[in-house]
């Protein structure tokens, strides 16, 4: 899919991190030792390895009125397993692997941000290699339940009400003057839609 012609493009975007993640049902027989063996196949591009606590989170409900929940009892057998980080030498590229998630990150270090298409291609190439590795280990393929794209922007030097439109209405009138908040937090969740049987949501969060 080509980059939309009307998509804004910034000379110096404030992007700090981009992550593309897939969440899937727990893969039976996939353990941390498999993730470390997968790292051996990726070691030339990602020479650093770290062990991290695993991530847990709910699957987005299709019903917009449904509550978010995690079936802890179903996760019980999986909780002792962790999450493996595969890190590039420049520290700007990161792959995260656990038995319910595969995540590709770009992080702002010394290299310039190469736009979403670069991160998307990295994700697909490395997720394909991960699936090929599972085949080589005779481990079942992931059944993807959810896809998540995260952007983290770092905007410094100006208050939130100067760059975030909803925050621009946060002033109050006190003692015959306009007073802006010293600090504020803004959160929103939008139901976008999706194909039948699916749901798409946009989460926007802004905090000091």
């Amino acid at each position: 899919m080509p980059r939309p012609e009307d998509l804004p493009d910034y000379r110096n975007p404030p992007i700090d991190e981009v992550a593309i993640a897939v969440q899937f049902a727990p893969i039976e027989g996939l353990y941390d030792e498999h993730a470390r063996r997968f790292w051996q196949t990726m070691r030339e591009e990602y020479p650093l390895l770290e062990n991290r606590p695993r991530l847990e989170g709910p699957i987005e409900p299709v019903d917009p009125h449904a509550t978010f929940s995690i079936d802890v009892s179903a996760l019980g057998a999986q909780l002792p397993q962790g999450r493996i980080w595969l890190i590039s030498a420049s520290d700007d590229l990161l792959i995260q692997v656990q038995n319910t998630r595969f995540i590709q990150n770009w992080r702002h270090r010394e290299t310039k941000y190469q736009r979403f298409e670069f991160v998307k291609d990295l994700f697909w190439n490395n997720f394909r290699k991960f699936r090929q590795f599972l085949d080589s280990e005779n481990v079942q393929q992931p059944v993807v339940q959810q896809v998540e794209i995260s952007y983290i922007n770092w905007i410094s030097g100006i208050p939130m009400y100067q760059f975030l439109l909803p925050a621009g209405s946060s002033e109050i009138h006190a003692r015959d003057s306009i007073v802006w908040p010293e600090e504020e937090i803004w959160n929103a969740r939008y139901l976008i839609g999706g194909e039948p049987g699916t749901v798409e949501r946009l989460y926007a969060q802004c905090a000091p």
Side-chain angles (χ1 to χ4, degrees), residues 17-71:
E17 187 167 358
V18 178
I20 303 177
V22 286
Q23 184 173 342
F24 34 81
I27 298 178
E28 185 177 353
L30 179 64
Y31 303 105
D32 290 351
E33 63 188 70
H34 293 98
R36 295 188 185 95
R37 288 204 292 271
F38 173 65
W39 171 61
Q40 294 293 339
T41 70
M42 303 288 290
R43 196 168 182 175
E44 185 173 340
E45 300 169 87
Y46 296 83
L48 306 176
L49 181 73
E50 289 186 13
N51 294 305
R52 294 281 179 152
R54 65 185 286 110
L55 296 172
E56 300 297 354
I59 299 297
E60 294 278 344
V62 175
D63 181 355
H65 304 293
T67 57
F68 293 76
S69 63
I70 306 174
D71 187 352

Side-chain angles (χ1 to χ4, degrees), residues 37-198:
R37 288 204 292 271
F38 173 65
W39 171 61
Q40 294 293 339
T41 70
M42 303 288 290
R43 196 168 182 175
E44 185 173 340
E45 300 169 87
Y46 296 83
L48 306 176
L49 181 73
E50 289 186 13
N51 294 305
R52 294 281 179 152
R54 65 185 286 110
L55 296 172
E56 300 297 354
I59 299 297
E60 294 278 344
V62 175
D63 181 355
H65 304 293
T67 57
F68 293 76
S69 63
I70 306 174
D71 187 352
V72 177
S73 63
L75 295 170
Q78 310 297 334
L79 290 177
Q81 299 183 44
R83 175 171 44 124
I84 304 297
W85 276 18
L86 289 64
I87 309 168
S88 66
S90 58
D91 199 47
D92 59 341
L93 300 180
L94 167 67
I95 296 173
Q96 305 181 59
V97 179
Q98 69 180 47
N99 69 336
T100 58
R101 275 177 171 81
F102 183 94
I103 308 170
Q104 175 75 60
N105 299 64
W106 174 90
R107 305 184 291 184
H108 185 220
R109 297 296 187 264
E110 298 298 325
T111 58
K112 185 178 179 180
Y113 178 50
Q114 301 182 53
R115 304 300 188 264
F116 173 75
E117 290 76 12
F118 170 75
V119 185
K120 179 191 68 175
D121 290 344
L122 269 180
F123 167 80
W124 281 116
N125 288 335
N126 291 329
F127 189 46
R128 173 179 50 82
K129 293 175 182 178
F130 176 65
R131 289 181 292 161
Q132 290 173 343
F133 169 79
L134 294 180
D135 280 340
S136 70
E137 295 284 324
N138 294 317
V139 176
Q140 71 182 50
Q141 287 292 311
V143 180
V144 175
Q145 299 171 315
Q146 185 162 283
V147 179
E148 181 177 319
I149 300 174
S150 301
Y151 278 83
I152 301 173
N153 293 292
W154 185 265
I155 300 174
S156 60
I158 58 175
M160 188 188 303
Y161 60 79
Q162 289 187 6
F163 66 82
L164 183 66
L165 186 61
S169 300
S170 58
E171 79 277 10
I172 64 171
H173 296 260
R175 297 186 183 277
D176 299 322
S177 63
I178 298 176
V179 181
W180 294 93
E182 293 180 291
E183 184 175 287
E184 56 187 314
I185 297 174
W186 189 84
N187 291 283
R189 187 181 80 193
Y190 300 88
L191 179 62
I192 305 299
E195 298 295 327
T198 70

